[in-house]
């Protein structure tokens, strides 16, 4: 993951490179499912995909670059870097996680078709702005 500036909008974004996307069929299927799911979701507690960058030709199609909104950190980094987090911080993180999960599981009928798996959820997949840990 790296940060960049979108040349069309001037907005700061994060770019995630997914290497050798077609090396394993099961990985390619999971990656496609997650990209399709995230492109459908619009919620304040769910990171937004801005763009998918594809190679100029199909012969060069090995890696996929996914452009996300830029977040300052992920939950894993916040917890690891801050020994002094209060119970209120953890309560706020849990609230955001549950609010996002509720939206995923109740809001859109298409999501059931995509069969999102809660087992894919890890702290590194949750992003955070610094203002939520500065109080």
């Amino acid at each position: 993951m790296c940060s960049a500036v979108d040349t069309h909008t001037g907005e700061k974004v994060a770019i995630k490179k997914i290497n050798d996307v077609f090396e394993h069929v099961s990985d390619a299927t999971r990656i496609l499912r997650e990209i399709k799911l995230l492109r459908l979701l619009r919620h304040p507690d769910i990171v937004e995909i801005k763009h998918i960058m594809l190679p100029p030709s199909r012969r060069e199609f090995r890696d996929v670059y996914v452009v996300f909104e830029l977040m300052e950190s992920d939950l894993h980094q916040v917890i690891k870097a801050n020994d002094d987090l209060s119970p209120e911080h953890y309560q706020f993180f849990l609230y955001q996680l549950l609010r996002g999960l509720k939206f995923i599981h109740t809001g859109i009928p298409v999501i059931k078709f995509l069969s999102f798996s809660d087992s894919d959820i890890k702290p590194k997949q949750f992003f955070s702005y610094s203002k939520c840990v500065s109080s």
Side-chain angles (χ1 to χ4, degrees):
M1 191 79 85
C2 70
S3 64
V5 175
D6 186 326
T7 55
H8 297 292
T9 64
E11 177 182 29
K12 289 184 179 180
V13 295
I15 302 174
K16 179 179 184 177
K17 179 181 180 182
I18 304 171
N19 294 316
D20 299 319
V21 72
F22 300 113
E23 189 171 327
H24 301 286
V25 175
S26 61
D27 288 343
T29 303
R30 179 186 51 79
I31 291 164
L32 176 62
R33 184 183 70 230
E34 289 179 11
I35 289 172
K36 287 172 74 175
L37 176 66
L38 284 174
R39 289 191 73 169
L40 290 172
L41 300 176
R42 296 287 181 263
H43 190 271
D45 294 323
I46 299 174
V47 69
E48 179 184 348
I49 289 183
K50 299 285 191 181
H51 185 66
I52 308 292
M53 298 168 52
L54 299 175
S57 73
R58 289 185 181 183
R59 290 195 141 157
E60 299 172 17
F61 198 171
R62 288 185 181 80
D63 304 327
V64 174
Y65 295 86
V66 184
V67 181
F68 293 96
E69 63 180 312
L70 182 65
M71 304 301 284
E72 295 176 23
S73 185
D74 65 48
L75 185 57
H76 181 256
Q77 288 176 332
V78 170
I79 292 171
K80 188 176 172 183
N82 293 289
D83 293 334
D84 59 343
L85 291 175
S86 69
E88 288 79 20
H89 286 109
Y90 290 106
Q91 184 178 12
F92 184 67
F93 295 146
L94 184 58
Y95 169 74
Q96 287 180 304
L97 294 171
L98 293 174
R99 200 171 101 158
L101 280 174
K102 179 181 178 195
F103 176 76
I104 289 170
H105 287 289
T106 62
I108 303 172
V110 175
I111 292 171
K112 292 181 171 83
F113 167 73
L114 293 172
S115 72
F116 177 75
S117 170
D118 292 336
S119 64
D120 295 337
I121 296 172
K122 302 173 198 87
K124 286 187 176 185
Q125 294 177 326
F126 294 95
F127 302 99
S128 172
Y129 287 114
S130 61
K131 65 183 174 185
C132 72
V133 295
S134 62
S135 57

